[in-house]
Amino acid sequence: MITFITCIVILIVGYFTYGKFVERVFIPKDERPTPAYVNADGVDYVPMSTPKNSLIQLLNIAGTGPVFGPIVGALYGPVAFVWIVVGCIFAGAVHDYLTGMISIRNKGAHLPELAAKFLGKAMKHVVNIFALLLLLLVGTVFVTSPAMLINNLMDGKVAISMIVALIFIYYILATLLPVDKIIGRFYPYLGALLVISAIGIGISMIVKGSPIPELTFENMHPAKLPIFPLIFFTITCGALSGFHATQTPIISRTTKREKEGRKIFYGMMITEGIIAMIWAAAAMSLFGGYGGLNEMMAAGGPAAVVSEASILMLGSIGGTLAVLGVIVLPITSGDTAFRAARMIIADYFKFAQAKLVSRLWVAIPLFVMSYVLTKIDFNILWRYFSWANGVTAVIALWVAAMYLFLDRKNHWIATIPASFMTSMVFSYIIYEPTMGFGQDVAFSNAAGIIAGFIMTAIFFGTALKKRGTNFLLDEDVTSYQHVK
């Protein structure tokens, strides 16, 4: 219990200390007009308040990642707590803040446009492929996972196929309508439900004295799967997630002032880390040890763990509300995943999105492909999603590192996590037996470290060349008269 409470406190302190440090490195400028005003179109560029943007951002980035991921990661034991705390403060929140702020400085640009600008034009095509693949997988995963939760909640009385169809109908509406019509109107309330349900589980565990294990670095996984590199791709959204880099530009287009960025981007990642801590602790302590958790996972997956833990901690009524809070997570990330995919495709091909018919031409093929993917086994989808998620996070961190390097600021806040995760990305694909090369874990980690050093050297070589040119870091908005 002491480890759990200490980790929560460290996450909160991290927001006020390291989060403030990262903000001072970037130096937000409130006098600079944001894309919400400069590019206002009534569809995607719409000024909204900080509380509204914050809760929307939380729901955009959360998905089932900070719930399902930590539940699966709990099988490794309390070492999962370490990755959530360290990853969240020094990698995930930095990733989200810098991605959001650099997007604000560049007219709300999505990651492919930013990668093309800061890492080279060829990267635009690579990142477009990875970003769209990730968003399509996310959208699909976040159709099937809430459908399973709803099916469990209703004791199987409503067919999963019917639930999937209803979720798709909602996704289509949320993807096509202006951002302030559904997302801006209802997300703040759904965000509150999510936070309240997680807090309810956390407080209940403390009050009831749940046997949350104390810190140990021993690998508790019943199957003895290696901590390195697997834990970094098991717990993603609660620590570091490239999916967030596809979501922050949605809110960078609705943020009124740059100074709001730390609350919206860094702060909501810390909030997600707290949610991840709560569900990891619940999974470790409520099922009679790691063997019991593994058996429940085998029987019903993370969805069964969520339902059982919620009822155990909060009773039938409170537990149902908690499950609803978790159901909100994937649905409200799935719709913005498809929305972000539409925006990325539109930006890439220069398709105007003011007219509904233009949005339909882009969105409909995405939904058709996603429906086809729902027929694939969920565990396979999650595995591919995890790796694509890690690769996207690495690209976003290198973009942030390049921006800071060229601006002659402390780039190490992004360079260090970028280099580390680059090593893990290579280690994972070399080790993974089903989708990767299936090599020995020691060899995989060694090869990953070497690859990380090589990519870091390439980064510095490219950065030094760019520094000698007249590189325009931020889009020029001097001619725009900002009306606050």
Side-chain angles (χ1 to χ4, degrees), residues 78-95:
V79 70
F81 294 155
V82 177
W83 169 233
I84 291 171
V85 172
V86 174
C88 190
I89 294 173
F90 297 103
V94 174
H95 167 285

Side-chain angles (χ1 to χ4, degrees), residues 410-483:
N410 182 2
H411 64 89
W412 293 109
I413 61 173
T415 303
I416 291 174
S419 181
F420 175 77
M421 282 308 298
T422 297
S423 295
M424 292 300 101
V425 161
F426 278 100
S427 295
Y428 182 84
I429 199 64
I430 294 170
Y431 166 80
E432 228 289 328
T434 54
M435 60 172 283
F437 296 99
Q439 298 299 306
D440 174 78
V441 67
F443 172 80
S444 300
N445 285 331
I449 291 170
I450 293 170
F453 275 113
I454 292 172
M455 293 302 294
T456 304
I458 293 172
F459 164 77
F460 279 110
T462 305
L464 287 169
K465 287 181 182 179
K466 281 183 177 290
R467 184 180 273 185
T469 63
N470 294 322
F471 191 85
L472 182 65
L473 281 173
D474 306 320
E475 295 294 328
D476 184 19
V477 292
T478 54
S479 62
Y480 181 82
Q481 297 297 315
H482 189 189
V483 181

Side-chain angles (χ1 to χ4, degrees), residues 6-7 57 69 77 105 168-170 212 215 220 248 282 356 374 429:
T6 302
C7 287
Q57 172 71 2
R105 291 280 177 89
F168 265 124
I169 291 171
Y170 165 74
I212 303 172
L215 181 61
M220 302 293 187
T248 50
L356 179 61
T374 60
I429 199 64

Side-chain angles (χ1 to χ4, degrees), residues 15-31:
Y15 168 75
F16 290 103
T17 55
Y18 198 69
K20 188 68 176 176
F21 172 73
V22 171
E23 183 183 53
R24 285 200 300 268
V25 168
F26 186 84
I27 311 176
K29 300 174 182 177
D30 268 0
E31 68 276 11

Side-chain angles (χ1 to χ4, degrees), residues 7-79:
C7 287
I8 297 291
V9 171
I10 292 173
L11 283 167
I12 295 170
V13 172
Y15 168 75
F16 290 103
T17 55
Y18 198 69
K20 188 68 176 176
F21 172 73
V22 171
E23 183 183 53
R24 285 200 300 268
V25 168
F26 186 84
I27 311 176
K29 300 174 182 177
D30 268 0
E31 68 276 11
R32 179 185 170 88
T34 62
Y37 296 102
V38 177
N39 304 97
D41 63 358
V43 179
D44 297 317
Y45 295 86
V46 180
M48 294 194 295
S49 68
T50 302
K52 186 174 286 190
N53 277 330
S54 296
L55 287 172
I56 294 171
Q57 172 71 2
L58 176 61
L59 288 174
N60 284 358
I61 66 175
T64 46
V67 179
F68 281 21
I71 286 173
V72 179
L75 289 170
Y76 290 97
V79 70

Side-chain angles (χ1 to χ4, degrees), residues 169-441:
I169 291 171
Y170 165 74
Y171 280 1
I172 291 170
L173 291 173
T175 300
L176 297 176
L177 291 175
V179 69
D180 58 338
K181 299 304 180 185
I182 291 181
I183 293 173
R185 185 168 297 177
F186 298 111
Y187 272 32
Y189 301 105
L190 299 176
L193 175 61
L194 160 65
V195 173
I196 291 169
S197 64
I199 291 174
I201 296 287
I203 292 175
S204 181
M205 285 193 295
I206 293 172
V207 171
K208 293 182 178 181
S210 298
I212 303 172
E214 301 299 346
L215 181 61
T216 173
F217 292 96
E218 183 182 352
N219 185 355
M220 302 293 187
H221 201 292
K224 293 302 177 184
L225 295 177
I227 294 173
F228 286 84
L230 294 189
I231 198 167
F232 305 107
F233 300 90
T234 303
I235 303 175
T236 56
C237 290
L240 172 65
S241 170
F243 171 61
H244 298 188
T246 68
Q247 298 301 288
T248 50
I250 295 175
I251 301 305
S252 75
R253 299 182 180 196
T254 61
T255 302
K256 291 182 176 181
R257 298 163 54 239
E258 286 194 359
K259 199 72 174 178
E260 298 169 1
R262 183 163 68 97
K263 293 178 182 177
I264 296 170
F265 302 122
Y266 198 100
M268 291 305 101
M269 181 61 214
I270 293 295
T271 303
E272 187 183 67
I274 293 172
I275 294 170
M277 279 292 307
I278 289 170
W279 282 105
M284 288 180 205
S285 61
L286 299 180
F287 304 104
Y290 304 104
L293 173 60
N294 198 35
E295 289 176 8
M296 179 160 285
M297 289 281 296
V305 175
V306 169
S307 299
E308 186 69 20
S310 298
I311 299 299
L312 282 173
M313 288 291 97
L314 301 175
S316 57
I317 296 176
T320 300
L321 290 174
V323 174
L324 288 174
V326 174
I327 289 170
V328 162
L329 279 167
I331 291 178
T332 53
S333 290
D335 59 7
T336 51
F338 286 116
R339 187 179 191 90
R342 171 182 66 78
M343 292 160 71
I344 287 173
I345 293 171
D347 289 349
Y348 186 75
F349 291 104
K350 309 299 181 186
F351 292 153
Q353 295 290 279
K355 294 182 179 179
L356 179 61
V357 67
S358 300
R359 283 171 258 156
L360 277 170
W361 280 115
V362 178
I364 287 176
L366 290 170
F367 287 112
V368 171
M369 287 187 286
S370 179
Y371 176 75
V372 173
L373 286 174
T374 60
K375 306 303 179 181
I376 298 176
D377 179 67
F378 177 82
N379 291 322
I380 295 175
L381 282 175
W382 188 268
R383 196 174 294 128
Y384 278 96
F385 154 70
S386 295
W387 189 71
N389 199 24
V391 172
T392 308
V394 163
I395 293 169
L397 283 167
W398 283 126
V399 167
M402 183 66 76
Y403 181 96
L404 294 175
F405 187 94
L406 295 177
D407 204 21
R408 299 181 184 276
K409 293 176 179 175
N410 182 2
H411 64 89
W412 293 109
I413 61 173
T415 303
I416 291 174
S419 181
F420 175 77
M421 282 308 298
T422 297
S423 295
M424 292 300 101
V425 161
F426 278 100
S427 295
Y428 182 84
I429 199 64
I430 294 170
Y431 166 80
E432 228 289 328
T434 54
M435 60 172 283
F437 296 99
Q439 298 299 306
D440 174 78
V441 67

